Every structure is written in C-alpha cells, then in structure tokens.
Amino acid sequence: MPDRGGVLWPLFFLDLSKTLRLLGTAPNRSDLPLPHLPDVELWLANDFRRYRKYLDNPVGIPHWTRWFNLHSRKHIEETYPTGISFLLNQDGTRPVYLQKYWDDVPGCRVFPRVEIQHYFATARGPNRYFACTLAWQLALAIYEQFDKIEMWGYELNDSIKRKLVERPCVFYWIQLARDKGIEIQYQQEIADIPFVVGDPDTYVESLYGFSSKPELDWDPVTESFITGPTSL
C-alpha cells in the first residue's frame, strides 16, 4: 500500500498480515472499501440501525466478525430496544462482546475488561483510560497483537465531549498501538486534527460503559461487579 502518512485511501491491495477494520458510524463510514476481504476482521459496535444501509449490502457489513455493546442491558432496552432483538437473533457463530454474560444472546462473550486494564496498567494501577467504546476496541486489538488496524467511520469532532474527552483518549490508544509496532490508519477527517495524546493517569471521568451506563450490580466505587460478570 502506498505510504499516505497514516491516512486511509479507498484503494487496497491484498495483505496477508493480521488486519482489523474498525467501523464506526460517522458519515465517512461510507468510504469503507467493498467487497470486504475474507482474511480481515471487521468489528462493529452498538446500535445496528446505524449500519442498516450496509448490513443489507450482500458484499458489505454482513461479514462482520465481532460485535461490541459495552452498555448495560437496561440502557440498550430503553435507548434502542431493537438492539436487543438484533442480539437475540444472532446465530452464535460470531462473538458478541457484552459487559456480562447473557445466556439468551447467541455467541455472547464477556468483554475481558479486567485483563485489559491490568495488561495496560499505568503508574496508578489498572488502566482506566477508557472514554468510549472505540478505546476498549483499540485496547483489545493491541492486546491481541494485530499487525494493522484500520479505522473507518470515525471523525471525533461531532460534540464537545467527543473533542475534549474521547479524542485525547483515542489518540492515546493509537499512539500506544504505534509504540508497539502496529500500523494504524484512519481517514482524512482524523488526520486533519492536531494529534494531542491524553494522559491516563490524569483521567478522572467514568470508566466508559461499565460506570457510565452500568449494570445493576456494578459497584462504581470499586469499579467491579458485585456478583461477577460470569464467563464465556
């Protein structure tokens, strides 16, 4: 692939490295190259309705390999109840990462939050610099040692929170990936933003998803489940 300074371009060549495509829901998601390459992982998250145009495309998003929703069941049911139906109607062949194990969701996997936080521990202890779902996904991708991460459908500029809280957090994980030798690429909308990396040891906001939209048995003081998330 031509060197474009980390910026994604629509033309891709076959690459046998361990590659991940993260797909967000910003307007520039429409630039995702199709058809999807069979040896490339494709991770999606949250409300499937925002991907509807692409889920119905036979050469597009139906090829997702993992789905993430790191919000409480109560939040999903109240905010977009069709999201529960989507999860319940999976066939179990692909992982669906949730805060806790839901035995009625085929393919459900407990997101490895504890392992991730300890693996990336900082001077303050377990890393809690997670301000959005994308941060959790990037951390997992680094943990799993992908060779290349492509970010499609992210602009990081559509709200004050996105700019001030989430963006420095995402840039922190991008930089950490690069420090570990992972090639990471994104679209022009992010390339145009000053690359200012946040500090995990000064982050005082909530642990995204788990504390910001918690399950009923989540303890916000200890930042852990009272009854445990169970396994699988």
Side-chain angles (χ1 to χ4, degrees), residues 25-161:
T25 57
N28 59 358
R29 68 187 183 277
S30 60
D31 292 334
L32 178 74
L34 296 175
H36 183 67
L37 299 177
D39 295 328
V40 175
E41 282 220 44
L42 180 62
W43 294 2
L44 276 64
N46 301 332
D47 189 355
F48 82 98
R49 295 174 302 175
R50 302 188 69 177
Y51 298 106
R52 172 75 72 177
K53 175 181 176 181
Y54 306 97
L55 284 165
D56 294 337
N57 186 327
V59 297
I61 307 310
H63 297 290
W64 62 267
T65 57
R66 307 190 210 183
W67 199 284
F68 296 75
N69 199 319
L70 303 180
H71 307 99
S72 69
R73 186 160 189 152
K74 182 174 183 291
H75 171 82
I76 299 171
E77 289 175 339
E78 293 179 350
T79 307
Y80 44 98
T82 52
I84 293 293
S85 299
F86 173 76
L87 297 176
L88 297 178
N89 286 315
Q90 294 307 305
D91 62 11
T93 61
R94 294 173 286 186
V96 175
Y97 287 90
L98 303 172
Q99 285 191 23
K100 301 194 68 175
Y101 182 67
W102 301 355
D103 59 10
D104 55 349
V105 174
C108 180
R109 298 288 185 274
V110 175
F111 185 82
R113 174 189 61 82
V114 175
E115 292 88 341
I116 293 293
Q117 288 191 264
H118 284 274
Y119 183 79
F120 295 105
T122 70
R124 289 178 56 187
N127 197 322
R128 58 180 311 281
Y129 199 16
F130 298 96
C132 56
T133 297
L134 176 57
W136 287 114
Q137 290 177 305
L138 286 168
L140 181 60
I142 299 168
Y143 181 72
E144 294 192 4
Q145 300 181 341
F146 277 88
D147 299 306
K148 180 191 299 184
I149 302 171
E150 301 174 6
M151 294 168 52
W152 297 91
Y154 300 97
E155 298 182 1
L156 304 180
N157 62 5
D158 60 333
S159 69
I160 296 299
K161 180 186 176 186

